[in-house]
Amino acid sequence: MIFTIAILKEVKVMNNTDKKPAGFLMDRLTNTFSFFKSMTPKSEKDGMNNDVKVLHPFSVILNKEISDHVRSWRFVLLVLIIALTCFASLFTALSNIGKAVKPGDPEGAFFFLKLFTLTDGTLPPFMVFISFLGPLLGISLGFDAVNSEQNNRTLSRILAQPIYRDYVLNAKFLAALIVISVMFFALVFLVMGIGLIAIGIPPTVEEFFRILCFIILSILYVAFWLNLSVLFSVRFRQPATSALSGIAVWLFFTIFYGMIVNLAIKPYTPSAMSTDRYIYVFESFRLGLLRVMPNQLFTEATTTLLMPAVRSLGPLTMEQVYGTIPGPLPLSQSLLMVWPQVTGLIAATVLCFALSYVSFMRREIRSR
Amino acid sequence: MAENIIELIDLTKKYGSFTAVDQLNLTIRKGEIFGLLGPNGAGKSTTILMMLGLTEPTSGMASVCGIDPTTKPIEVKRIVGYLPEDVGFYSNRSGYENLMFTAMLNGLSRWEAVTKIDQLLELVGLTEVAGKKTGKYSRGMLQRLGLADVLIKNPEVIILDEPTLGIDPTGVKEFIELIVTLSRAEGLTVIFSSHDLHHVQQVCDRVGLFVNGRLLAEGDIPTLSRKLFTKSQFVIEVGISKEVADSQHDSEESDSSGWLMDLLKEIEGIIDVEVKNGIFQIACSRDATSEIAKAMVEAGEKLIYLNKKEYGLDDIYYRYFEGGESHE
């Protein structure tokens, strides 16, 4: 990492000579890096204890944001809702797991993963719950990030302190992300632990890593919604407006978008007479449209990760399927398959962040 | 004293076609208390934002302690304390925690901050309520906490935007006194914007009058009044007993000022005499109060009211805003 910083500094020097905006950006970058550098144990050597140590302003804001989240009723309620639904789905999975194992099942080796995917139809499985409640979590942690500061008139006071303006935005995002990560890791490991006690079969190494990937993916998914709502919180002055916009986008994608896509392409639905090629193109096109939705990306990615038997996410022709032996994919192949989905999610997240960053940095901060 | 701590040169800020601040030139010296005066929307806050680098000027430049706030806002913010108009604190945190947050943002260690905060809370008189959440503070308490918040970074300049807004009169008095004491004791430069003229008059060494984004006049109050009321610097108000006046003069005459002008014409520097609500207003170029009184008593008038009127900021202010157009 030190190496990266060195390079960045080089670039900075080069940029300063010809163009100002690029140099400015590099300044920002090196600044963020210097924060990470200051987090390394160097400071412990200098200071005797915590009280004498001077914290980097960024970590001061970060600490404050995290403690704000953890202390808030909103977060407590969300954790309760999510924990309850998770344990409910764990319960249904556990009560049906005996019937789930059939001889000759290709997924027989992945018994433990069934804890997250199994259902008897009364309650959705764990992974569906996450895809449903994740957006809610993200939106509710971010929708008043910036505008509440402005409405409480604290923003201009904070920005009058010697800190870079983006520290505020970055800290808000990072704090929510850290809180979400801790929560997800705790929750999933708890579910694993209870499952372990209940069924008595430990997960294999591959299963463990699959679950780890699933957690990271879920965090990424929530991060997208978090960024979207932070973007709305920068754009809209009223927290209610920004919360409703976030929920509107979420509802649009979960309920209406799929309906609209199906309605729009209905006239082109292949009939029994259509050629294989036509059916293939049609199906690919339909999936392509659906993959605009972040929840579609998430569902596809989690399904592949938690059900090793899933071998393809797109349409397959008879020739492709012919002669294949049903069997689970190794983790590396599953990961390779969901890579486009993961990239898409990251891209959407970065896009939202960039938009809110630009509009926040150029904003004039009035006290009211 | 002569050191200029803030210099604004041709500073202009435009929002679309609207010019908020128009070619502003202003210098503020180290250690003085400067008042920015003007009606709402005159560009006071915008000027302050530009001094802090919170908004970019459209053209012109600012310099605070020799640093350009547009390109180096962090350095400026390190030495300038800013108390925004209608300051807010995190209402779910105590006053102490809020100050600790600011202290640590300014690079103080927790240990340094603890002593500093105790000191400042004592100074602004909030020691007893330091543990209370700021959501339960009154407006005046918030404002005093704001002052502590500004002082925590040991600033060289403090900028207060409408600091007296919404505080009761006694609170305002205490607050203003606090600021003055601080400024004198530590050599702080204080800039504050206000439309509360009396407080500005009490406190400021110099004032700047803003109208429509322009600085109409600047200077200390005697200078300003001399500039404005060039002809008649002094106005002496005289009242005489009605019955006596009626017996001595004709009824038409007693309401006009001609006889008094005749009476006073020997005194040097009398310019004009006007009657307003039965009170004679004598404009003169020098302080002729005693001569006027003597002349009137000798003439047998029964003098019941005598007042030397001095031009305060009120008059200056109203004179400017009345004549806002004619001055352009």
Side-chain angles (χ1 to χ4, degrees), chain B residues 123-184:
Chain B
L123 183 76
V124 297
L126 289 176
T127 313
E128 273 123 69
V129 289
K132 237 167 85 171
K133 299 214 160 129
T134 54
K136 296 201 170 109
Y137 279 27
S138 70
R139 189 83 198 82
M141 282 153 91
L142 281 179
Q143 209 70 26
R144 276 183 284 159
L145 188 64
L147 189 64
D149 185 73
V150 162
L151 291 171
I152 213 156
K153 60 172 103 163
N154 285 325
E156 288 176 32
V157 182
I158 57 178
I159 301 178
L160 313 168
D161 198 352
E162 301 281 2
T164 55
L165 210 69
I167 320 181
D168 59 79
T170 39
V172 169
K173 198 158 171 281
E174 282 170 21
F175 191 72
I176 298 258
E177 272 164 16
L178 195 60
I179 294 172
V180 176
T181 326
L182 272 172
S183 162
R184 300 289 180 240

Side-chain angles (χ1 to χ4, degrees), chain A residues 130-282:
Chain A
I130 294 293
S131 86
F132 188 71
L133 290 175
L136 193 69
L137 185 69
I139 290 169
S140 55
L141 285 186
F143 76 93
D144 63 348
V146 174
N147 50 16
S148 75
E149 292 258 349
Q150 194 149 20
N151 292 336
N152 290 333
R153 302 177 298 276
T154 45
L155 191 59
S156 64
R157 193 171 58 85
I158 297 308
L159 290 182
Q161 309 305 330
I163 52 162
Y164 287 105
R165 191 183 279 200
D166 56 345
Y167 281 1
V168 176
L169 199 65
N170 296 354
K172 294 231 174 244
F173 170 65
L174 204 59
L177 201 65
I178 288 172
V179 166
I180 291 168
S181 310
V182 169
M183 190 192 112
F184 269 151
F185 272 103
L187 205 64
V188 173
F189 284 154
L190 212 61
V191 166
M192 275 171 77
I194 294 173
L196 199 60
I197 294 169
I199 59 177
I201 303 167
T204 61
V205 175
E206 195 189 325
E207 277 176 317
F208 178 74
F209 279 110
R210 276 180 186 272
I211 292 169
L212 216 57
C213 290
F214 165 70
I215 300 174
I216 293 168
L217 200 67
S218 310
I219 292 167
L220 202 66
Y221 180 57
V222 177
F224 164 75
W225 291 100
L226 176 71
N227 259 319
L228 190 73
S229 65
V230 168
L231 173 65
F232 285 136
S233 88
V234 174
R235 295 297 323 167
F236 300 120
R237 278 296 285 273
Q238 295 303 323
T241 317
S242 96
L244 278 177
S245 326
I247 290 173
V249 172
W250 172 44
L251 283 181
F252 174 75
F253 276 139
T254 38
I255 299 174
F256 298 111
Y257 186 76
M259 274 161 58
I260 292 170
V261 166
N262 284 334
L263 218 65
I265 59 172
K266 205 167 187 171
Y268 310 102
T269 313
S271 63
M273 307 301 198
S274 307
T275 59
D276 286 352
R277 172 115 198 106
Y278 182 80
I279 298 171
Y280 181 79
V281 169
F282 173 82

Side-chain angles (χ1 to χ4, degrees), chain B residues 44-58:
Chain B
K44 293 170 289 174
S45 299
T46 313
T47 310
I48 291 175
L49 289 186
M50 284 191 283
M51 284 185 209
L52 283 163
L54 285 177
T55 184
E56 285 179 31
T58 315

